Amino acid sequence: MVAVTRALVFYLYGPENAGDLAICLGTIGFLRRHGADVTMVSRFDGAAPDFAASRGMVHARYPEVEVVPGTFALDRSAGCGAVAAQYAAGAAKLLLRIGDERVSALVGQADVVLFNGGNLLRCASATDAIRLEALFHPISMARRMGKRVVCLPQSTAAVAPRWKPFLGRKLALFDEVFVREGASLERLRFLYPELPFSKSTDMAFFMDDPEDAPRSAGSRAAMIVRGTAIGDIGELAKARQDELLGAFAGFAGVHPELSYTVIVQTKKDRALSERLVGLLPDGAALVEEHDPFRLLSIYKSMDVTLSMRLHAAILSLRAGTPVIGMFDKGWGLKNVGVMSDYGMGYSDCAGGLLDEYRRVVEEFDPGSLGASIAFYEDELASALGLS
């Protein structure tokens, strides 16, 4: 009889950002396909509405997956005073080891402890360091207990010189660190040449197959906007938001043959999406959807996706639809890295968007895309020792 691998994953993210949830569903789908039992530890404590909501979305598709609450409470949408109080409470829990017994029991039952994918390998400030200290606390515990610990595909962004040693110590906790795109891999290897980095791809690419969604007659284009800074913390300057929206509106003016749908898959994007609809020459449908499987079906019905959101681009590619990205440089390396890995177009200005559209539509090869995703899945499963 083949032993079943018991995988403990930190963390299950929240449902307000469909991209975060897509990473989690891809992680679960990947592990279940390769024979592992899965326990997901939420980023949210048991009292948080996001804990119940994300657990419900997981159990709707994977009722056999165990979902348990996290230790720390953090709701950035609360006022400054409330967020400061949450940080203080989290620090107290770290110092007093509150919750360690429960987490230790979970770690003790696991064959492998996994740190979920995303864009968390950045440390530009003391605030970032505090956040990472809490996030990596159970990873430190697993290391002390002699467990195998692996970081699933992540990206990096800004790492301030004073915080470089701190992040390096956290990365050294892992037996292996997978990086989800080439730009971040190059940067991390430069910063930490002694650490074991391996190239992979975003876990959302490993989601199970979408529901059938036949393509409609005519040419359809999806548009997804973003007005927030990195980590969805704070806003881009209004002038930059206007510039990004203007690029999409200008594209629609040059390509009136396309029928446009503006998709909201992150709650913070709703107001900006409504602004875009008003700017498009012939208007557009507005669809809000946060279920990654439903989004896969929507993107499958499109002929092209123009996106400021990385995971709208990833879900579109997973559904077999080509992508042109419109990215602000402040969003880090992840966008350019993923688009380059898959030969998709991207720009930070209106003219580049039009040029890249022509190239991508001519060159897109869905067969090659599928083969690349399958290769990365096989490589990751082999590295983890899964069937």
Side-chain angles (χ1 to χ4, degrees):
M1 180 179 293
V2 177
V4 175
T5 298
R6 293 164 295 184
L8 178 65
V9 182
F10 296 90
Y11 295 90
L12 173 64
Y13 306 129
E16 292 198 355
N17 184 324
D20 289 346
L21 193 57
I23 290 173
C24 300
L25 293 173
T27 296
I28 293 168
F30 164 80
L31 291 170
R32 295 298 295 138
R33 279 196 302 279
H34 293 281
D37 281 346
V38 182
T39 298
M40 303 289 293
V41 181
S42 176
R43 192 183 73 81
F44 304 95
D45 69 322
D50 279 347
F51 168 69
S54 56
R55 180 178 60 180
M57 294 190 78
V58 169
H59 283 169
R61 182 98 182 190
Y62 304 101
E64 74 281 6
V65 170
E66 185 178 7
V67 178
V68 300
T71 301
F72 303 103
L74 179 57
D75 178 8
R76 291 198 185 99
S77 65
C80 293
V83 171
Q86 291 172 31
Y87 270 93
K93 286 183 176 181
L94 283 173
L95 291 171
L96 299 174
R97 303 288 184 181
I98 297 173
D100 278 14
E101 185 176 346
R102 178 176 67 90
V103 175
S104 178
L106 291 169
V107 171
Q109 297 167 6
D111 297 310
V112 62
V113 175
L114 303 172
F115 188 74
N116 209 356
N119 189 40
L120 295 169
L121 304 188
R122 62 184 198 274
C123 196
S125 66
T127 300
D128 285 344
I130 292 169
R131 171 179 50 83
L132 290 175
E133 186 66 40
L135 290 174
F136 283 111
H137 180 63
I139 303 302
S140 299
M141 186 183 302
R143 179 83 283 161
R144 290 194 301 270
M145 295 173 66
K147 295 292 181 175
R148 186 179 184 208
V149 288
V150 176
C151 182
L152 294 179
Q154 287 268 351
S155 293
T156 190
V159 179
R162 69 170 296 186
W163 296 111
K164 176 188 169 186
F166 171 84
L167 180 58
R169 289 192 296 272
K170 300 305 177 187
L171 294 175
L173 295 170
F174 295 102
D175 293 295
E176 192 163 9
V177 178
F178 288 93
V179 185
R180 66 179 174 178
E181 32 78 19
S184 286
L185 180 67
E186 182 179 352
R187 178 63 175 161
L188 287 167
R189 282 179 170 169
F190 172 78
L191 290 172
Y192 307 107
E194 73 283 3
L195 294 181
F197 299 109
S198 297
K199 176 76 175 342
S200 189
T201 196
D202 192 276
M203 294 303 295
F205 280 114
F206 303 144
M207 284 180 62
D208 286 325
D209 288 334
E211 300 169 3
D212 288 338
R215 296 194 183 277
S216 302
S219 297
R220 302 185 65 194
M223 286 184 165
I224 300 90
V225 301
R226 173 180 180 172
T228 55
I230 191 167
D232 281 334
I233 303 171
E235 297 279 328
L236 295 178
K238 186 177 183 304
R240 181 56 172 154
Q241 291 182 359
D242 292 344
E243 184 181 1
L244 293 170
L245 292 181
F248 273 14
F251 179 94
V254 174
H255 289 284
E257 75 279 5
L258 296 172
S259 174
Y260 294 93
T261 301
V262 177
I263 298 172
V264 180
Q265 62 175 55
T266 302
K267 288 187 181 295
K268 292 183 178 181
D269 297 339
R270 176 78 193 199
L272 204 65
S273 298
E274 291 172 346
R275 282 182 58 196
L276 176 61
V277 171
L279 291 172
L280 296 179
D282 298 315
L286 181 67
V287 174
E288 181 164 356
E289 181 56 68
H290 300 276
D291 183 322
F293 285 107
R294 292 176 184 163
L295 283 165
L296 280 174
S297 294
I298 292 171
Y299 292 126
K300 189 177 179 182
S301 73
M302 299 291 165
D303 297 285
V304 67
T305 295
L306 285 75
S307 181
M308 300 180 201
R309 282 274 175 195
L310 175 62
H311 277 91
I314 288 172
L315 289 171
S316 181
L317 290 172
R318 175 65 182 82
T321 299
V323 176
I324 301 93
M326 183 74 180
F327 303 129
D328 186 80
K329 292 179 180 178
W331 293 335
L333 300 173
K334 60 180 184 176
N335 304 293
V336 171
V338 171
M339 292 295 98
S340 298
D341 283 354
Y342 289 96
M344 294 296 101
Y346 60 89
S347 182
D348 61 359
C349 64
L353 193 67
L354 291 165
D355 292 341
E356 289 296 274
Y357 171 74
R358 286 188 285 269
R359 181 186 68 80
V360 166
V361 168
E362 290 177 359
E363 298 179 1
F364 183 63
D365 180 2
S368 176
L369 171 67
S372 294
I373 295 170
F375 170 81
Y376 283 125
E377 176 164 353
D378 289 345
E379 286 278 294
L380 185 58
S382 177
L384 292 175
L386 300 173
S387 60

